Amino acid sequence: MVSPPRHVVDNRSQCAESARPHLSGAPETAAIVLRCCRLHAREEPPLRALTLAIALLPLLCALPPAAGGPDTGAGGLPTAAAPTTPANAQPLRIGVLAWRGSERALSSWMPTAEHLRERLPDHAIRLVPLGLEEMETAVASGELDFLITNPGHYVHLENTHGVGRIATLETHTLQTPSQALGSVVIARADRDDLQALSDLAGQRLLAVSPEAFGGFQIIQDELRRVGIQPRRDLQELRYTGFPMDQIVDQVRVGAADAGIIRSCLLESLVAEGLVEPEQFRVVGERAEPGFPCRLSSRLYPDWPFARLAHTDRDLARRVAIALMEMAPPEDSEALGWTVPLSYQPVNELFERLRIGPYADFPENPLAELLYRYRWPLLAGLLVMLIGFGHHVRAEYLIRQRTQALHETMRQREAAEEAARHRQEELAHVARISTMGELAAGLAHELNQPLAAIVNYANGCRRYLEPMDERQVPQKARLLEATRHIAEHGGQAAEVIRNLRAFLRKEPGEFRPVDVNQIIDEALGFMAVALRRAQTRVECRLGTGLPPVRGNSVQLVQVLLNLLSNALESQAELPATARFIHLSSERAGDRVRITVADPGEGMAEAVRARAFEPFFTTKDRGMGLGLSLSHSLVQEHGGRLSLRPRKSGGTLATIELPLQEETDA
Amino acid sequence: MSPANSDRVWVVEDDERVRRSLTWLLESVGLAVHEFPGAEPFLEALDPTRPGCVLLDIRMPGMGGLELQQLLARDHPLLPVILITGHGDVPMAVRALKAGAYDFFEKPFNDQELLERAQAAIQQHRAALAEAASRAGIEQRIARLTPRERDVLALMLEGAPGKVMAARLHISPRTADVHRHNVMEKMEAASLAELIQLCLAAGLKPG
């Protein structure tokens, strides 16, 4: 995970043996590693490295007493002290993350250590290679003054132990130190099926550790972006720990399908001759302009140089100044330090992954919020539900009542329609039957004189016939005239007959009819007129009356005629004296209806002619009402009669034959 | 067409115009007409023993034609009633015919038909009266017979000879002959055949 050693000369000399720290489980040999002058010295790298190694050999060999011995200076931590440390120098311990092993860690940071020793001669500079957890333990116990670690680890320690960066590594081969660090997922070259990161689903993946930044977390974030959750979607996720090189080895032998390593490690290994570039493919490769290594991820700022919380401020400032002034080697690939960068991108990554300082943050802040406020929310939800329920219920009730209202209105309209229809029917029948009655009356009135004319004419003819010409000289002509009179009279009668037939009262359909129902209906039609005339109606209707045979419309019409006559006859009476008595009863094989009024009554002569058509005593009557009623009742096989009441007024009686049971 | 002086046509019609014209028409063929404006005066004047017929208007105030016809049918079944109707009273006339009316006519009349039917009705009435009268005469004769003579008459109608008759009645043949003679005398019959005819006319059946 260390960024600087873009190219590190792997000097596994025997001298390094003596520098082996008694780090727990660290297999590497601690060694002072010279910085390589050129990062990508593809050409003749082994030669160059060898030369450097030989040149530095004496120096290296001089170190063992300081670096490899049971150093007590850092509380048991193995350190690599820079050479030529003054005897009275205060120890200055710099923890470095040993991502490829202690040896490489020490060699990587030696130039920096040298530089600091030069600038801070009163301090004994010691490099302490540490793993991730070891470094955190060391920080917690205050055994270090400064540390160099990867950005992820730094952010973690910054949040947990208050370490503060004072510089950021700067590599001149890179355009900017803020785009310096990434990760790459490698697979064997023959794994054609692994192209994009999403292809990793269901595969066996290797990583350094859950806390490793370049060795896991960067790719974890990239996988998250393509929808892969390692624990859920991978067949296997195995952590190897440092050094990272073993991931490359295991992928190569097929112990895993793919492995996560930090960027440029592959190139370093190739440069070191440890692997062949053709052996691997990069999964999910992406291009970052100006970045010299293959990548599967975005880029993050380079490693920071950080002080610990307890580190003396003055010392920290001096170190920072020294770092800034670290003379950039003439070689453009060399490492240097620049002003501390923002590690916000790392923070954001942690936040996205809910790790490091954000581990306690809920994965889903909304869910956390919902959980925390579950009771108020539930209460609110309940209130809303109740409200909604109430609303639904109200809607339902409104709809139901609206429907009921519609139904009521519909029924009322239907009833009104039926009443209107009935009234129209009645009016129609009244019109037709009045016309019929008119025609019948007219026919009768004309027919009588015509009959007389014809009779006289025929009589004349018969008187003439036996006479001889001498008695009646014009006998022939007179006979002809009398014949014409009779003939034309007959023709006139025929015309009337036709007219009468045309306007014949409709016979009407006869059905079983409930007399009381007829009375009710007629009273219904008369209600307004009765109210207006302030006339009360008293009914004594028989119960259980058998049905009569009749046409209800015609019978209603008869009753209406009688009722309106009864009403008109008492117009002169005071309101309190006005009444109409209605009764219905059975009388043998008939049903009798009576309509009685206390009105002016009828004179005997009037009553005798009451049923004649065109006979009327009213100023504006046609004289057809009673005539029509009479003939309608007669057509029913019944009888209509008028009698004077004993106490004044008229009693009209209708008798109707029962519906014969065989007819029903 | 030779009306006897006793013949009568009774015209009952409330409308004077029609009534008078009818009379005029009937008299033109020599019929004797008695006319009435209503049922009541007619019933007072009616002499049902004279041969005749009644011309009756159906539509009349008071007692209507139909009612009067039914009354006549009950009291004077032999008297023919011809109904005169205005237009549209045909169903009533049909009812009247069923109830025993002789005929009906719609106004205005075909004079020929009316006169013929009226005269036919009078003839029928006359015959009926005669028959009734003769039946009444025969019945009177039968009434004069003694019980024994009635028994003899019954046996005579059966055609029983004198000896059989005597044996059946437990009398001597001579006595039987006397009875037979008395029966013939009282029944005013010249022969046995005439006696049988008389009895048939009176509704007495042989045997």
Side-chain angles (χ1 to χ4, degrees):
Chain A
M1 291 227 181
V2 183
S3 153
R6 293 274 130 72
H7 275 94
V8 175
V9 176
D10 187 11
N11 188 346
R12 298 173 186 250
S13 69
Q14 56 273 52
C15 297
E17 291 291 333
S18 58
R20 175 191 296 267
H22 48 266
L23 272 173
S24 55
E28 285 86 2
T29 317
I32 296 173
V33 179
L34 292 182
R35 214 169 70 198
C36 181
C37 294
R38 296 182 56 192
L39 276 175
H40 295 284
R42 289 264 159 89
E43 63 285 14
E44 53 183 2
L47 180 62
R48 183 176 292 265
L50 188 61
T51 312
L52 277 168
I54 293 167
L56 287 170
L57 203 51
L59 178 68
L60 291 172
C61 290
L63 272 172
D71 192 319
T72 56
L77 285 178
T79 57
T84 65
T85 304
N88 60 340
Q90 291 179 3
L92 193 156
R93 293 149 305 184
I94 304 173
V96 296
L97 186 67
W99 66 287
R100 290 189 71 191
S102 301
E103 186 187 336
R104 285 171 202 268
L106 291 173
S107 65
S108 299
W109 302 113
M110 186 55 74
T112 298
E114 288 287 351
H115 177 74
L116 289 177
R117 189 169 296 123
E118 283 171 21
R119 305 300 297 264
L120 287 81
D122 51 339
H123 285 82
I125 309 294
R126 285 167 199 259
L127 294 177
V128 186
L130 297 165
L132 289 167
E133 289 173 22
E134 292 159 355
M135 182 176 284
E136 183 163 1
T137 309
V139 168
S141 58
E143 292 171 18
L144 299 174
D145 299 302
F146 295 93
L147 56 84
I148 301 172
T149 188
N150 70 47
H153 198 217
Y154 162 73
V155 167
H156 172 65
L157 294 176
E158 183 185 67
N159 281 287
T160 50
H161 296 96
V163 307
R165 62 193 183 278
I166 57 175
T168 294
L169 193 65
E170 185 177 31
T171 307
H172 292 271
T173 50
L174 299 175
Q175 287 180 340
T176 164
S178 63
Q179 301 279 306
L181 183 58
S183 283
V184 60
V185 178
I186 56 165
R188 276 165 62 120
D190 55 3
R191 290 301 298 271
D192 289 340
D193 55 326
L194 301 177
Q195 296 284 342
L197 286 177
S198 54
D199 295 334
L200 292 174
Q203 304 293 329
R204 295 167 300 160
L205 188 64
L206 287 180
V208 172
S209 88
E211 286 80 33
F213 186 61
F216 179 62
Q217 290 166 343
I218 291 179
I219 291 301
Q220 184 186 0
D221 183 44
E222 297 297 337
L223 288 174
R224 192 192 61 80
R225 289 170 188 264
V226 298
I228 292 182
Q229 285 186 11
R231 272 168 208 80
R232 188 190 67 191
D233 299 322
L234 296 177
Q235 184 193 340
E236 182 189 42
L237 175 62
R238 194 147 50 83
Y239 300 111
T240 61
F242 289 138
M244 204 179 276
D245 300 24
Q246 48 187 327
I247 290 178
V248 180
D249 290 335
Q250 292 198 26
V251 169
R252 182 166 50 192
V253 300
D257 297 307
I260 302 169
I261 55 175
R262 53 152 295 172
S263 56
C264 295
L265 174 60
L266 192 62
E267 284 79 359
S268 296
L269 292 173
V270 169
E272 291 160 21
L274 295 176
V275 300
E276 296 298 323
E278 302 80 28
Q279 288 175 318
F280 296 97
R281 59 163 52 249
V282 171
V283 182
E285 180 159 18
R286 53 189 290 156
E288 288 290 343
F291 192 73
C293 306
R294 305 181 76 182
L295 265 178
S296 299
S297 74
R298 286 159 185 75
L299 290 171
Y300 294 86
D302 218 332
W303 285 39
F305 192 109
R307 60 163 177 80
L308 268 69
H310 66 84
T311 306
D312 180 62
R313 286 171 175 252
D314 192 45
L315 174 63
R317 183 159 59 246
R318 287 173 62 199
V319 168
I321 292 167
L323 288 173
M324 299 301 148
E325 288 175 349
M326 190 168 156
E330 63 282 8
D331 193 321
S332 65
E333 292 177 18
L335 303 175
W337 295 93
T338 185
V339 290
L341 293 177
S342 162
Y343 287 85
Q344 188 56 29
V346 180
N347 260 309
E348 288 168 3
L349 179 143
F350 283 3
E351 194 178 341
R352 284 197 295 274
L353 296 179
R354 303 285 149 205
I355 54 176
Y358 302 98
D360 290 340
F361 271 55
E363 177 119 17
N364 187 340
L366 185 63
E368 171 66 17
L369 210 64
L370 288 176
Y371 182 75
R372 185 179 304 171
Y373 295 106
R374 60 192 182 280
W375 296 121
L377 280 171
L378 275 175
L381 198 67
L382 196 69
V383 169
M384 278 171 64
L385 271 176
I386 290 171
F388 182 69
H390 177 75
H391 175 74
V392 167
R393 185 170 168 275
E395 272 299 304
Y396 173 73
L397 285 178
I398 287 171
R399 194 165 302 169
Q400 217 175 27
R401 280 172 200 170
T402 308
Q403 224 163 20
L405 199 66
H406 278 307
E407 179 62 18
T408 310
M409 282 169 65
R410 201 188 58 71
Q411 279 173 357
R412 183 177 302 168
E413 278 171 13
E416 282 171 1
E417 177 63 31
R420 198 159 51 236
H421 183 74
R422 182 73 173 168
Q423 214 153 10
E424 280 171 8
E425 191 183 9
L426 197 68
H428 174 74
V429 168
R431 210 159 44 234
I432 294 294
S433 47
T434 304
M435 296 257 285
E437 190 67 15
L438 183 73
L442 201 65
H444 183 74
E445 290 304 314
L446 288 175
N447 208 42
Q448 296 290 95
L450 278 173
I453 290 167
V454 171
N455 286 345
Y456 281 120
N458 286 331
C460 285
R461 186 166 49 80
R462 289 180 182 279
Y463 278 114
L464 277 170
E465 269 169 356
M467 297 181 182
D468 59 31
E469 296 287 338
R470 278 174 307 183
Q471 283 176 293
V472 185
Q474 304 292 338
K475 180 190 169 188
R477 303 198 63 168
L478 288 173
L479 276 176
E480 192 185 348
T482 52
R483 202 171 61 246
H484 281 312
I485 292 170
E487 195 179 308
H488 294 166
Q491 281 172 0
E494 188 62 29
V495 170
I496 290 167
R497 197 194 309 272
N498 289 340
L499 177 71
R500 170 84 192 259
F502 181 67
L503 291 174
R504 177 176 291 276
K505 281 170 289 191
E506 287 177 25
E509 210 175 322
F510 282 8
R511 290 195 174 140
V513 173
D514 180 356
V515 163
N516 288 347
Q517 212 170 319
I518 297 296
I519 292 172
D520 277 349
E521 198 175 337
L523 285 177
F525 283 122
M526 289 293 288
V528 175
L530 287 166
R531 251 203 315 279
R532 197 177 296 148
Q534 291 174 284
T535 304
R536 74 180 190 282
V537 176
E538 292 169 8
C539 291
R540 278 179 49 192
L541 305 184
T543 52
L545 293 178
V548 300
R549 178 176 169 278
N551 179 293
S552 63
V553 178
Q554 293 180 347
L555 292 178
V556 167
Q557 198 186 353
V558 170
L559 268 178
L560 286 179
N561 280 334
L562 297 181
L563 285 170
S564 71
N565 282 351
L567 208 58
E568 287 172 23
S569 74
Q570 48 188 324
E572 304 298 322
L573 292 182
T576 50
R578 294 178 197 157
F579 67 82
I580 293 176
H581 281 179
L582 268 165
S583 78
S584 63
E585 62 183 340
R586 179 158 185 178
D589 59 350
R590 304 194 148 203
V591 169
R592 180 187 298 145
I593 306 169
T594 64
V595 181
D597 68 76
E600 52 197 8
M602 289 182 188
E604 178 64 37
V606 171
R607 195 163 54 247
R609 302 185 59 195
F611 297 141
E612 276 182 35
F614 311 117
F615 176 81
T616 182
T617 56
K618 297 175 192 170
D619 293 340
R620 296 177 58 193
M622 271 181 77
L624 286 174
L626 279 176
S627 157
L628 176 58
S629 300
H630 186 244
S631 46
L632 285 176
V633 171
Q634 275 192 333
E635 277 175 30
H636 278 74
R639 207 164 68 179
L640 172 62
S641 63
L642 301 170
R643 282 207 308 275
R645 280 175 80 242
K646 285 167 201 160
S647 50
T650 305
L651 175 69
T653 305
I654 306 167
E655 288 181 347
L656 294 166
L658 298 183
Q659 170 81 22
E660 287 166 30
E661 289 190 4
T662 49
D663 288 5
Chain B
M1 282 291 174
S2 52
N5 282 339
S6 60
D7 290 356
R8 286 286 184 280
V9 178
W10 314 86
V11 172
V12 187
E13 161 70 80
D14 62 309
D15 191 318
E16 190 190 355
R17 298 162 299 183
V18 178
R19 189 173 72 235
R20 298 298 299 277
S21 70
L22 255 180
T23 305
W24 172 264
L25 178 64
L26 293 165
E27 284 174 352
S28 71
V29 293
L31 286 168
V33 180
H34 281 203
E35 57 179 75
F36 305 92
E40 287 80 10
F42 160 68
L43 288 173
E44 279 176 26
L46 176 63
D47 177 2
T49 61
R50 286 170 175 269
C53 70
V54 184
L55 261 63
L56 196 51
D57 184 24
I58 285 187
R59 264 154 75 126
M60 283 190 301
M63 188 186 287
L66 281 179
E67 219 174 323
L68 179 55
Q69 186 248 326
Q70 279 161 16
L71 192 145
L72 290 174
R74 192 191 66 200
D75 293 348
H76 311 291
L78 301 182
L79 184 62
V81 174
I82 295 174
L83 285 159
I84 304 166
T85 80
H87 299 304
D89 292 332
V90 176
M92 282 175 152
V94 171
R95 280 219 298 278
L97 279 180
K98 283 183 182 167
Y102 184 77
D103 208 343
F104 81 95
F105 283 89
E106 264 189 276
K107 291 181 251 187
F109 323 106
N110 179 320
D111 60 326
Q112 189 63 35
E113 272 182 40
L114 179 71
L115 293 171
E116 280 174 8
R117 290 301 285 165
Q119 282 164 340
I122 294 168
Q123 290 300 333
Q124 180 190 306
H125 191 219
R126 181 184 291 121
L129 284 175
E131 186 191 320
S134 78
R135 183 186 295 174
I138 294 163
E139 280 169 358
Q140 276 178 348
R141 294 175 209 172
I142 293 173
R144 291 204 294 265
L145 300 178
T146 66
R148 178 58 76 183
E149 284 165 353
R150 280 185 207 175
D151 295 340
V152 172
L153 174 60
L155 290 168
M156 283 169 80
L157 291 176
E158 282 181 25
K163 286 179 188 172
V164 175
M165 199 184 294
R168 297 264 293 271
L169 297 173
H170 310 290
I171 53 175
S172 68
R174 191 186 161 88
T175 312
D177 279 343
V178 174
H179 282 312
R180 283 175 57 160
H181 178 79
N182 287 348
V183 167
M184 294 295 279
E185 204 148 86
K186 284 185 179 175
M187 292 302 289
E188 298 169 28
S191 65
L192 183 59
E194 194 178 345
L195 179 70
I196 291 174
Q197 261 184 339
L198 281 173
C199 288
L200 282 174
L204 277 181
K205 285 175 192 166

